[in-house]
Amino acid sequence: MRAFALIARLAWRNLRHRPGQAVMLLLALCLATTTLSLALAVNGAGDRSWERVWRDTNGPHVQSFFGYGAERTPSDATLAKVRADLAALTTAPGVVAASGPWDAMVTTGEVAGDRMDVEVLVRDPAPAAVGQPLLTEGQWLDGGDGVVLEEGLASTMRVRLGDTVTVAGQALPVRGVAMTSTTGRFPMYQPGRIWVNQPTGERIQAGGGVEAFASSVELRLAQPGDAAAFVAAHAPPRHGAASSSTLDCPHGSSCGTARTTTSPPSRSRWSASVSCSGC
């Protein structure tokens, strides 16, 4: 008690003799506390938003993809084997739901008058069992022309329903806007994502100008905590000078998941990975 009383007297004396400095110190402490509280609140809100989208889209626990640059396309035999391997993952032990394989392309597009790289994802009109994008405006794909834009891309570029975007020279109307949990929101994640149906994807590919291709599957596991073991058991083999690395899951150690990636030193070759997406 004596020590506390001494500290109180010294603090009061300092406040009386140096009121300006004391006020500045108090303001600095209040500002620091407020900033920290706001940062924690924003971080928590972001996590909750992602979790809601992941739940509403029946997001995957594991993703697997195979990609390659247009400059050096793998042989037909390699492509056929990879697609068969991806399809086999959808019925692997422990998998309770799956979607894909889905094809994707990276090409050049024009959105709201700005030329940019876009990632074109080919999907079915029917809802996917896993990772179905969550519509926020408009409608999903059907048998006709039209695209669905990732919500961040549409919002950032101020694109509205009925506007036209150009993808690899193809002018396509915007039919819908959707959110996904499998990647980040544009512009934090680039290139911007655009979903198209199979006939539109075939026209884009035939038109030329595609820089890279990929195929992927999205999987949900009976036991999400087994994702790390699933990734380790199904990680792609090394090819040539490719390198392999394992990264902790971004959702924290309690998730018990990991990501294993095999990638080549050159973008013009190809890469494959199996990775954790959610907990």
Side-chain angles (χ1 to χ4, degrees):
M1 292 296 294
R2 291 182 179 179
F4 179 78
L6 177 61
I7 293 174
R9 286 199 299 270
L10 290 175
W12 175 247
R13 183 179 300 175
N14 183 67
L15 180 62
R16 291 177 58 190
H17 289 83
R18 300 179 180 86
Q21 294 178 4
V23 171
M24 291 299 294
L25 177 60
L26 178 60
L27 289 175
L29 290 173
C30 291
L31 180 61
T33 302
T34 302
T35 302
L36 178 59
S37 300
L38 181 61
L40 292 173
V42 170
N43 182 65
D47 288 344
R48 289 191 296 273
S49 177
W50 182 88
E51 290 171 358
R52 282 197 300 269
V53 175
W54 185 78
R55 286 195 303 269
D56 291 345
T57 60
N58 201 34
H61 296 119
V62 173
Q63 290 177 282
S64 181
F65 86 94
F66 173 85
Y68 57 94
E71 298 89 347
R72 297 188 64 177
T73 303
S75 67
D76 290 342
T78 298
L79 290 176
K81 183 180 185 305
V82 168
R83 288 191 65 87
D85 290 344
L86 288 174
L89 285 177
T90 64
T91 57
V95 175
V96 294
S99 64
W102 305 117
D103 291 330
M105 299 168 280
V106 176
T107 186
T108 302
E110 186 173 310
V111 181
D114 285 358
R115 191 174 178 83
M116 63 177 67
D117 285 342
V118 293
E119 184 177 7
V120 180
L121 299 102
V122 181
R123 301 294 287 261
D124 291 336
V130 178
Q132 173 64 26
L134 178 65
L135 277 174
T136 58
E137 294 183 63
Q139 64 185 70
W140 183 241
L141 305 169
D142 58 19
D145 286 340
V147 300
V148 175
L149 268 59
E150 187 271 322
E151 185 272 335
L153 177 62
S155 176
T156 301
M157 303 306 296
R158 299 182 179 180
V159 177
R160 298 180 178 179
L161 298 180
D163 289 351
T164 299
V165 299
T166 302
V167 182
Q170 303 281 332
L172 301 166
V174 176
R175 301 178 60 89
V177 177
M179 302 175 71
T180 177
S181 64
T182 56
T183 60
R185 185 176 185 269
F186 185 89
M188 297 300 293
Y189 173 89
Q190 294 191 34
R193 285 193 148 196
I194 296 176
W195 291 278
V196 303
N197 60 20
Q198 185 69 38
T200 302
E202 291 174 353
R203 290 204 309 274
I204 291 173
Q205 182 173 349
V210 176
E211 301 173 8
F213 298 88
S215 293
S216 65
V217 293
E218 300 177 356
L219 314 172
R220 284 187 69 89
L221 306 181
Q223 299 295 330
D226 292 342
F230 186 94
V231 167
H234 298 88
R238 298 187 180 201
H239 296 269
S243 61
S244 179
S245 61
T246 299
L247 305 162
D248 290 337
C249 172
H251 308 298
S253 58
S254 61
C255 175
T257 58
R259 178 175 60 188
T260 301
T261 303
T262 300
S263 58
S266 171
R267 183 182 175 186
S268 64
R269 293 187 65 83
W270 56 272
S271 63
S273 81
V274 183
S275 63
C276 125
S277 292
C279 306

